Amino acid sequence: MKKKILILLMISISATAMEVVGVPGIYKEIPAKYLPQALWEKGYWEASIDSVANSKMFITLGRPSKINSFKINLPDSVAKHLRNIDPPSKGSLVDAQRIKIFLDDVVHRLENSGYPFAACSVSMDIADNNEKEITLDISFELETGPYIELLYLDSQIDGKTKGSVIEHLMLFKPNKPFRKKYIQSGSRRLRRSRIIRLRGEPYPAIDSEGNYVLVVRGKDLIVNSFQGIIGTDGEKILGDLQFASKNLFGTGRKFSIKLFLENERTTFELDYIEPFLGKSNISPQFRMKFQNADYVRQNYRFGVQFPISFELDGYTGFSIRRNYPSETPNEGTRSLALEFWGSYTSLEDVLMPRSGFTMRLGGEVSRINDYNEDEIQPAANANFSVFAAFPIKTLSIWLKATGSGYIEPKLPDFSLWFPLGGWTNLRGYRQEQFYGAKIGVLTIEPRLFFQNNASVLAFLDIGAFYNDDGWQVKPGYGVGFEFARPPGTMAIIYGLGEDRKISKGLIHIGLRLDI
């Protein structure tokens, strides 16, 4: 009864720091509210609270429980997968957490070596019970279950998505042993594509011919979207139109068209991505951008994206650009560039993540034909983007950094400069309001989420660009609201830029397809 009263007393004590007396030094950092239960798990089964007084807790440890012997039977079929295992040592304390870690390690190794149904249990017998200590004989019973090689992926999707698309997105390889970590990583990669909603985790099963297969069950998500705004100022048509598909006809193909009309500027963009080529996971891509404004800019890109691992991707390709002043088409530049980038992501939700990290680093080397200077020169530029989300109670703090810039030459022809401004990078300013040979944006963006399909946000963007006058810095700030509108999220942003009054802010409306 005394022991129970003391435990209840400890639960009611405030969070004020309390000195614990009577425990080994390595356990003095254990908060008092977790005692004596934490000591029981460490191997002191008889530990009890003796008394509590003057901000001190007095502990009686009692006899330690130690391992006398340790036994595990390993079938020859799995012994090679369990080399270098680290079992608890003889004479050590019977630490429940240490034993659990060992059991989990054994099971995880087997689950990643073709034994998805492996299980391990533990039994203990008292070897000696004397005045100084309790010693135990510990035995581990290992049930491996059948060895499984997956012949193929059985796609059971409610919708049009083809099984070959699921197979390539998950980086599935037939006739390979079941490996749980690969299946889990492939499932995360599949979720990031946002073309299907998985119904549970993929699992091994036996088909009608007795073969082991990997079953993937799910349902098609909405992947096609058409949205836009059209108006007129009395003389010209103004607006923004976009069609996007992330899974065209269930083939995994990505296709989008954008048309942007604003005063003296017309921008047309077309993107096409093939999900795979034959039986390989190489993804051919074509992108085109045409802009007619003070400068005419034409950009054609061809390349291939390829997975390096489940979280890491690479890209290589080339681009052809022709940029010139609209009034003097014989001037400007023409360039041929070799492009490359690598990206890493730990995100599972690429639209509204609460936590996670993603990064992309890239660059290009090019040959520029400068018609203004009547010369041909080499050039190189680099680009990066970093995103991290940190959950803090009900909020998620988004931190973003992006940048692009020429390394050589320091200031190429204006036709090659990078645009800055608009709802996709520097909010509070008009679309492509600024240009620089180097640009960058830092963003901090707290978000409050409503379930899984909407969020309100506040943001601070610090943009910078480098031109003939050196570095220029432009802040942008505001608030916004986003809600799920498959295949992306619809964003409504109210942004304020430098010297812009609150009543004169810019409203940015657009469909965001990724982070």
Side-chain angles (χ1 to χ4, degrees), residues 40-85:
W40 300 342
E41 293 182 356
K42 296 295 183 182
Y44 291 96
W45 295 355
E46 297 178 342
S48 62
I49 299 174
D50 185 61
S51 62
V52 178
N54 299 325
S55 298
K56 291 184 179 181
M57 174 183 285
F58 296 89
I59 298 290
T60 299
L61 279 179
R63 297 175 298 170
S65 302
K66 295 185 177 181
I67 297 175
N68 178 64
S69 67
F70 175 89
K71 180 182 179 182
I72 181 171
N73 293 320
L74 297 180
D76 293 339
S77 59
V78 301
K80 63 180 180 180
H81 304 303
L82 298 177
R83 295 170 183 168
N84 303 319
I85 56 176

Side-chain angles (χ1 to χ4, degrees), residues 86-144:
D86 184 23
S89 58
K90 181 178 180 179
S92 62
L93 292 170
V94 182
D95 188 325
Q97 184 64 24
R98 175 70 180 85
I99 293 174
K100 182 180 183 301
I101 290 173
F102 174 73
L103 291 175
D104 289 344
D105 180 44
V106 170
V107 172
H108 289 166
R109 290 191 188 204
L110 293 178
E111 288 177 334
N112 291 301
S113 302
Y115 297 91
F117 304 112
C120 191
S121 60
V122 61
S123 60
M124 301 182 185
D125 295 314
I126 295 178
D128 192 10
N129 189 353
N130 55 51
E131 295 180 356
K132 294 183 178 181
E133 61 185 16
I134 304 170
T135 59
L136 297 101
D137 296 323
I138 300 180
S139 298
F140 289 89
E141 298 296 329
L142 184 60
E143 295 290 339
T144 64

Side-chain angles (χ1 to χ4, degrees), residues 33 112 117 133 148 183 284 298 304 315 319 328 387 460:
K33 64 181 180 179
N112 291 301
F117 304 112
E133 61 185 16
I148 291 178
I183 304 302
Q298 304 172 34
V304 292
Y315 171 89
S319 66
T328 53
F387 169 87
L460 172 64

